[in-house]
Amino acid sequence: MKKFTQEMVVSYADKLLIGLKEDEVEMVLSEFEAIDKEIDLINEIPNIESVEPMTHCLDDFEYVLREDIVEESVDIDELLQNCDSKLDREVKVPKVVE
């Protein structure tokens, strides 16, 4: 398996426009190394290739889809009557991020 290199991490970070510092690159590399070790452990399980992939953790799980029924929605002005603070047709909330 090909290991991640510092150049690869820097290249991917630049492509994602997140610009990592050198200590952050080292942290990412150590995380990938830990993930690689876990994958290596999984690959050591005998006959792992013969295990069927799961779609759900419960064997007898069935997807039951409800019928899609179009219903009348509540008037926005009626809903906004319950708000302490509103701006036009939107709920105004306190700023939580500077």
Side-chain angles (χ1 to χ4, degrees):
M1 175 187 280
K2 187 175 180 182
K3 300 290 182 187
F4 279 94
T5 64
Q6 185 169 359
E7 293 79 23
M8 291 169 72
V9 172
V10 170
S11 173
Y12 293 143
D14 289 343
K15 289 176 185 174
L16 294 169
L17 303 175
I18 57 175
L20 298 175
K21 298 176 187 165
E22 190 168 328
D23 60 329
E24 294 171 323
V25 170
E26 293 302 320
M27 185 219 26
V28 169
L29 281 172
S30 68
E31 291 291 325
F32 278 133
E33 186 175 321
I35 292 169
D36 281 343
K37 286 180 183 177
E38 295 294 324
I39 290 173
D40 290 341
L41 283 174
I42 291 170
N43 287 332
E44 290 177 13
I45 298 172
N47 300 322
I48 191 74
E49 301 85 15
S50 64
V51 176
E52 282 285 321
M54 293 187 338
T55 58
H56 197 275
C57 62
L58 303 175
D59 291 336
D60 60 349
F61 185 78
E62 284 187 34
Y63 291 99
V64 179
L65 300 177
R66 63 173 174 79
E67 186 178 339
D68 193 11
I69 302 172
V70 179
E71 296 179 352
E72 186 76 27
S73 61
V74 180
D75 180 53
I76 187 74
D77 294 322
E78 184 179 331
L79 288 174
L80 289 173
Q81 288 176 355
N82 295 324
C83 297
D84 292 334
S85 181
K86 61 184 177 180
L87 181 62
D88 297 323
R89 294 173 53 104
E90 299 174 356
V91 177
K92 187 174 178 184
V93 295
K95 186 174 183 178
V96 294
V97 178
E98 293 297 325

